[in-house]
Amino acid sequence: MVFDVEIVGDTVYAGGRFDHARPAGAAPGEHEVPRRNLMAFDLHTGELLDWGPTAFGSEFSSGDPGLSSWCRDTGNDRWICDSVFRIETDPAGEHVYVAGDFDRMDGTWRSRIAAFDAGSGELTSFDPPPTNRRVRALSVGEDAVYFGGGFTSVGGTSRTRLAAVDHEGNLLDWAPAANREVWAVLARPDLDRVLIGGGFDEVNGSTKRSMAAVDATSGDSVAWQAQPPAGTPIVTDIVSDGSDTAWISALDFRHGGGEQRFEGRMSVDISSGTEHWWDGCLGDSMRMAVTDEVLYSVTHAHDCWAVEAIPERGADFRHFRMLAQTKDAVRTAPRDHTLVSAGDPIPEILPWFPNTNAGKSDTLINNGTWAIDATEDYVVVGGDFTAVNTHSRDSHRQQSLTRFAARGVDGARNNGPQWPFRAPELDSVDGGVKLTWPAIWNAQNGEMHYEVMRAGTPEPIHVTDPVPSRPWYGPEPWEREVMSYVDTGASSGTYWIRAIDADGERVGSSSATIG
């Protein structure tokens, strides 16, 4: 199971809870090599790299069955917790930092945080004081490494789920406090802010549910306006593109807020905490990645009707486990839905619809996808899935890691018009033969046009205007269009339809004969 991925130059680092890696397409048990909780592969080829330090934890006894979501059950109520939850680089990209449950790296003691030289791959001397519990959140600045989790002390000094050390590993005075586990930290010392997210409802003794901001030097609470309107959300990730904007994702597996719960994404001003938009999507969201124009996320979205996408009912598949959307709001909401009100600014869901299965059944939530990072040319996704593009014609077996590439990248496969594409219905009408057929969906284009083909005629007898090709249907504006054409003067013939997208990808329907 992969909990995080980080792209550094031409290398992808992956961390999680696993003990082997194998080449793409190989069956479980075939061509496997040992990799315990950390591995790296080439961004462009997907080839496994030699880097693979062993992240290990000490065995202990516990009767808590909840440990199974994150730790290894060794039997008889014995456990090893050594998962890697976060991978981050310093601003210069010279060092790779990892955080999690482990207490050793290749046999060298490193309590829950460690750093590696990005060039040589060697473990560095960075060795912060040990925390007494899990480190789940990590953000690396120019002068300090900020982290959060479930701990209450660092090196025996009280630190309530948030702490910072310098780049030598020395504990700093920075000591804000959260009353429950911290899952995400984003340090922006250039704006004098550190954003924090998690399952808490108090920060520094004041009510702040799931998200807050503190001063990057003192740790004191600073201005923060945005708050989830209802529910029991856990903020899972906070990302930024270096601007004054951050994006925040959340899960709420308790469903405490009903339809008002925060499980999607929102955008916020870092300096004031004032919200820019909420997308109102339901379906727990785990991680995000932001590029020049696009916000990517791993999720299991099943209702984004607040932004006129993915209705709760009426889609070609139930859960959308990867999404791409505009970073910024592009229009206003046409209706009240979930936590979005009519007139609120909203982003747009973009036509990028790969998918995976839900993964293993023994995880905390059957999300399938848990980790994501992106450049302008690649998107890398990790999780516990065992198949990719499970609802499209590009379906193939792939476990826990996969890559997607932009148009024009060597090896990129177009995954455009999708099956099933049934034969058109044919009816005799006054003046000819009437063909009727529904639009199909496209995994990477928002529109397609259709060509009507007749046996014995090499060229199309009719070409439609472009029509929407999203993988859902329902009320306007995304009603699945039903098209028709009358072949004037014909009384018989064999017909089929071709769907063609902007990339030139095409699929043909089955044929039908009349007369």
Side-chain angles (χ1 to χ4, degrees), residues 116-167:
F116 299 87
D117 185 280
S120 68
E122 296 296 321
L123 184 69
T124 73
S125 60
F126 176 77
D127 186 16
T131 65
N132 66 334
R133 292 192 183 96
R134 170 176 297 145
V135 175
R136 191 186 284 277
L138 184 67
S139 187
V140 184
E142 294 280 0
D143 300 316
V145 178
Y146 299 85
F147 54 97
F151 56 85
T152 55
S153 69
V154 179
T157 301
S158 177
R159 290 291 186 271
T160 311
R161 302 178 183 89
L162 288 159
V165 296
D166 64 22
H167 285 284

Side-chain angles (χ1 to χ4, degrees), residues 196-271:
I196 58 176
F200 51 80
D201 51 32
E202 286 186 6
V203 173
N204 289 336
S206 297
T207 300
K208 289 292 182 185
R209 190 169 69 242
S210 305
M211 57 181 75
V214 297
D215 187 275
T217 302
S218 68
D220 294 337
S221 296
V222 294
W224 187 265
Q225 304 300 319
Q227 291 285 275
T232 52
I234 297 172
V235 164
T236 55
D237 203 11
I238 308 173
V239 299
S240 181
D241 59 359
S243 68
D244 292 347
T245 298
W247 292 267
I248 298 176
S249 63
L251 62 80
D252 192 345
F253 55 82
R254 295 182 182 88
H255 294 179
E259 294 300 301
Q260 294 293 309
R261 64 188 184 270
F262 175 37
E263 293 182 344
R265 291 140 295 277
M266 59 92 68
S267 173
V268 65
D269 179 78
I270 293 174
S271 296

Side-chain angles (χ1 to χ4, degrees), residues 82-118:
D82 54 10
S83 296
V84 172
F85 293 114
R86 287 281 178 175
I87 306 176
E88 300 287 340
T89 59
D90 59 13
E94 295 176 351
H95 297 94
V96 177
Y97 292 78
V98 300
D101 276 340
F102 55 85
D103 57 25
R104 278 164 286 168
M105 281 290 172
D106 285 335
T108 301
W109 287 100
R110 289 290 187 273
S111 175
R112 301 186 173 93
I113 303 177
F116 299 87
D117 185 280

